Amino acid sequence: KQSKNICTPHKVPMMSCQDILNKFGVPLYLKIDIERQDVDCILSLLEKDACQLPFYLSFERNSRFPEVMKHLGRLGYRYFKQALQLEWNQKHKVTSIKQASGPFGEWAMDMKKGHLWKYSETPETLFGETSKRQDDWVDIHARLDGPPVVCDYDERSEE
C-alpha cells in the first residue's frame, strides 16, 4: 500500500518577516497566515519608513490582538477593518477544502462598516475583546495612513 504522504521535507532557514521584506522587497499587500505565529511576524516589523512597510496587511485575529494592534499603531497603521472570513466564504460558495480570505485593501468588507475603514490613533482599543465563538474566523485588515508610497529599490535599507 502506497503512503498518502508524498511530501519530501526540506530544511529552510528561519527568517523574520522584517528580514523577508528587507531581502525580497516590500509588497503593496502582506497577507499573514502562519497559524498562530502571525503575532511574531507583525512584531518583527520594525521599520517606520513607509517605503519599508506594506501599505496593506492582514492577519488572523487571536488572543494577542491588543498587543499586535498597539504595535501596528506605532508603525503608522491607522485604518482598520475586521472581516468575517467564514461569512465571505459562505456568501461566495467557497468549500471548506478551498477556503479563502476574501478580498483585501479597499475591497475587504468590515463586519459593520462594509468597505469603509475605521480610523484610530490607538488601534489597540478597536473592535473590543476577542470573540469567544470558535466558528468566528476573523481577519484584521490594516492600512498605513496617507496614500501608497512608491519607492525605488535604492531607498530601502540594504543589510
Side-chain angles (χ1 to χ4, degrees), residues 43 46-48 53 67-78 121 123-124:
L43 294 178
L46 304 171
E47 304 296 340
K48 290 188 177 182
L53 290 169
E67 176 186 7
V68 172
M69 293 295 280
K70 190 172 190 172
H71 187 68
L72 289 173
R74 284 192 297 263
L75 292 174
Y77 289 91
R78 297 285 184 265
E121 292 184 14
E124 65 273 17

Side-chain angles (χ1 to χ4, degrees), residues 83-90 99 131-139:
L84 272 175
Q85 302 306 344
L86 187 59
E87 185 177 284
W88 189 90
N89 277 276
Q90 290 170 343
Q99 292 183 344
S131 172
K132 304 284 190 272
R133 289 178 25 197
Q134 288 189 346
D135 61 340
D136 282 353
W137 171 21
V138 178
D139 269 9

Side-chain angles (χ1 to χ4, degrees), residues 40-53:
D40 297 319
C41 174
I42 292 169
L43 294 178
S44 81
L45 300 176
L46 304 171
E47 304 296 340
K48 290 188 177 182
D49 179 351
C51 289
Q52 297 173 336
L53 290 169

Side-chain angles (χ1 to χ4, degrees), residues 20-151:
I20 292 169
L21 297 182
N22 290 344
K23 183 171 182 169
F24 297 104
V26 180
L28 175 67
Y29 169 59
L30 177 62
K31 166 64 175 158
I32 305 168
D33 188 358
I34 45 180
E35 303 314 316
R36 294 181 263 311
Q37 302 306 310
D38 302 20
V39 173
D40 297 319
C41 174
I42 292 169
L43 294 178
S44 81
L45 300 176
L46 304 171
E47 304 296 340
K48 290 188 177 182
D49 179 351
C51 289
Q52 297 173 336
L53 290 169
F55 187 68
Y56 299 105
L57 65 78
S58 67
F59 62 96
E60 289 185 16
R61 186 173 173 157
N62 61 48
S63 61
R64 291 174 65 192
F65 172 73
E67 176 186 7
V68 172
M69 293 295 280
K70 190 172 190 172
H71 187 68
L72 289 173
R74 284 192 297 263
L75 292 174
Y77 289 91
R78 297 285 184 265
Y79 293 89
F80 300 89
K81 294 181 184 182
Q82 182 171 234
L84 272 175
Q85 302 306 344
L86 187 59
E87 185 177 284
W88 189 90
N89 277 276
Q90 290 170 343
K91 182 178 178 182
H92 293 87
K93 297 179 176 58
V94 178
T95 67
S96 61
I97 296 170
K98 286 181 13 182
Q99 292 183 344
S101 292
F104 77 92
E106 305 308 316
W107 300 275
M109 293 293 286
D110 181 78
M111 293 165 44
K112 295 180 181 172
K113 296 181 70 99
H115 289 293
L116 299 176
W117 292 91
K118 293 176 184 166
Y119 177 86
S120 181
E121 292 184 14
T122 55
E124 65 273 17
T125 64
L126 286 175
F127 307 124
E129 292 187 23
T130 303
S131 172
K132 304 284 190 272
R133 289 178 25 197
Q134 288 189 346
D135 61 340
D136 282 353
W137 171 21
V138 178
D139 269 9
I140 301 298
H141 292 258
R143 189 184 91 193
L144 285 172
D145 199 7
V149 177
V150 177
C151 305

